[in-house]
Amino acid sequence: MKNILVITASIFGQDGQSSQLVKHTLDQLRETHGEIRTTYRDLAAEPVPHLDASRFGAFLTGADDRSSDQQQVVDYSDSLIQEIKDADVIVMGVPMYNFGIPSGLKAYFDHIARAGVTFRYTENGPVGLLEDRPVYVLAARGGIYAGTPNDSQTPYIRSFLGFLGLTDLHFVYAEGLNMGDEKKESALQEAGRTIETLTA
């Protein structure tokens, strides 16, 4: 049975277009792999705290020197990282807000990037410590950005996840969703076909 980690970040919850693309991807993975086990991480409904000096300080403090509050911060981060380690596949819904990823997703990323845990520095540069696995990134956008300088999401997500060792990335774009009903329907259908091809 495949373990799937599902990460969503839409402020519209399960009604968001990126969340609907996630649902379609999960349906396709069930068709391909049979029964699957899912772990959901809804970053809009249950936000990860944004990184601040005290939380960052907890990550830098040695285990023997941490206060109880610092240990709680580290334990929380460890639990997020463990979800990734336990997953065979990661499915991530990423809406575009003001040309970037949702701030909740950035906060999540800040809690899974841990020196000595998910990456390490060497004399030859950083090395990701997470074992690679497929990551499906379902990107929903009101305008058309893929392949243009205004697409800040794709290079950032590719660089960040690659930094941790996750390089088997599959991007699916549903774009022009705010450019009229016909364009929206066409974009969602095209995204659906791409999902079906990638998960076959």
Side-chain angles (χ1 to χ4, degrees), residues 48-93:
V48 173
H50 283 85
L51 191 65
D52 57 21
S54 64
R55 300 186 78 83
F56 187 63
F59 298 151
L60 298 180
T61 303
D64 294 337
D65 298 321
R66 291 175 194 145
S67 67
S68 59
D69 287 344
Q70 288 178 322
Q71 189 60 53
Q72 287 181 359
V73 170
V74 172
D75 289 345
Y76 178 66
S77 170
D78 285 345
S79 70
L80 299 179
I81 294 167
Q82 192 60 50
E83 287 178 350
I84 298 172
K85 291 181 176 180
D86 290 341
D88 299 305
V89 177
I90 299 169
V91 176
M92 184 180 299

Side-chain angles (χ1 to χ4, degrees), residues 161-188:
L161 294 180
F163 185 79
L164 305 185
L166 301 175
T167 61
D168 186 10
L169 308 183
H170 308 273
F171 286 85
V172 178
Y173 302 98
E175 297 199 302
L177 301 181
N178 293 338
M179 298 172 65
D181 291 342
E182 184 176 345
K183 177 61 179 174
K184 176 180 177 180
E185 184 62 27
S186 172
L188 292 174

